[in-house]
Amino acid sequence: MAAGLSEDETRSSSERNPWVECIGPALAIAFLPGFVLFIYGILHFNYETPDFWVKLSGVEGLDRSADAVTAPTFNVTVRVDNEWNNFWEFCGKGGSVDVSYAGVPLAHGEFPEFCVPPGVVGSVPVVATSEGLGLPDDLYESMESQRQRQEPVQLAVDVQMREVTGRGGSLILLWCTAVLPGQPAGTLVCGISN
C-alpha cells in the first residue's frame, strides 16, 4: 500500500463505481447504429440530377430541296450521366426532341421511356425527322458554306422529358448543341431548365 493513503483511496475509480467501465461501450453501442443510419441516409437519399449531352450519330436528307429524295433525318443519342447517384436510377416517361439550325426547325422526334441505373452513363437513342424533303435553299447554302470553311455545323437539339426521377412529375427541358457527324466537337453539356 502507498505511504499515507488508506486502502479505500488506492482503489481505482472503476472499483468504486462499476458504471464507469460500462459507459464507453454503452455509448458506442447506443450511437453506432444511429451514426450508420445517418451515413446511409446521406448516401441513399442524396439525389443529384444527372448531366446530359447529345451526339448526332447519323444524318440524312440535308440536300437542297430541289435535289432531295429523303426528309432530313437525325439519329440523336442523348447521354445521361447518372454516375453521381449511387442508389437512384434515373427514369423518364417519354417526351420529345426537336432539331433546328440557325433557328429554323429541321426535325422532330418522340423521346422514349427510359431508365439509367445508378452509377452508370446511359444512352437513349432517338430518331428525329421532318415531313418535307431537303432544306430550303438559303439554309442549305448557309450550312454548305460552314462546311467548306471547315467550321463545325452546330445544331440546336431541344429535349423535353416527362415525369423524370427526382422532379415530382415535372418536366425537364434540355437545351443542347450538337455538331454534324464527322466534325470535331468537345463535350457539349446540355443546359437544364424546368
Side-chain angles (χ1 to χ4, degrees):
M1 180 160 39
L5 296 177
S6 68
E7 186 177 323
D8 288 337
E9 292 174 326
T10 59
R11 285 191 208 160
S12 70
S13 62
S14 63
E15 290 175 343
R16 286 187 296 225
N17 189 349
W19 290 105
V20 172
E21 285 184 9
C22 297
I23 288 176
L27 287 175
I29 290 171
F31 290 110
L32 184 62
F35 180 72
V36 169
L37 284 174
F38 175 74
I39 296 299
Y40 175 78
I42 288 174
L43 295 175
H44 185 70
F45 296 109
N46 186 22
Y47 174 77
E48 295 284 333
T49 299
D51 287 330
F52 304 90
W53 66 95
V54 296
K55 179 181 178 183
L56 295 176
S57 52
V59 177
E60 295 177 357
L62 295 184
D63 303 314
R64 191 184 309 268
S65 292
D67 304 328
V69 292
T70 62
T73 303
F74 301 87
N75 295 320
V76 179
T77 301
V78 178
R79 304 281 291 181
V80 182
D81 183 352
N82 199 30
E83 288 183 305
W84 290 102
N85 289 309
N86 295 320
F87 297 98
W88 293 95
E89 70 179 355
F90 183 80
C91 298
K93 299 289 184 192
S96 63
V97 174
D98 294 298
V99 180
S100 60
Y101 172 72
V104 178
L106 298 178
H108 176 80
E110 294 300 316
F111 199 77
E113 290 189 21
F114 71 98
C115 281
V116 177
V120 171
V121 177
S123 297
V124 182
V126 183
V127 176
T129 189
S130 172
E131 294 182 12
L133 294 180
L135 302 174
D137 288 346
D138 56 341
L139 207 59
Y140 175 82
E141 293 297 332
S142 175
M143 197 177 282
E144 276 304 302
S145 88
Q146 274 190 278
R147 286 188 210 181
Q148 288 173 0
R149 290 190 308 262
Q150 297 180 346
E151 295 174 359
V153 177
Q154 294 187 347
L155 301 172
V157 181
D158 299 329
V159 181
Q160 181 183 54
M161 295 180 206
R162 292 191 309 265
E163 298 180 36
V164 294
T165 303
R167 293 284 181 146
S170 65
L171 297 173
I172 280 186
L173 302 175
L174 304 179
W175 309 102
C176 310
T177 301
V179 296
L180 290 179
Q183 296 186 314
T187 301
L188 303 169
V189 177
C190 301
I192 302 175
S193 66
N194 296 343

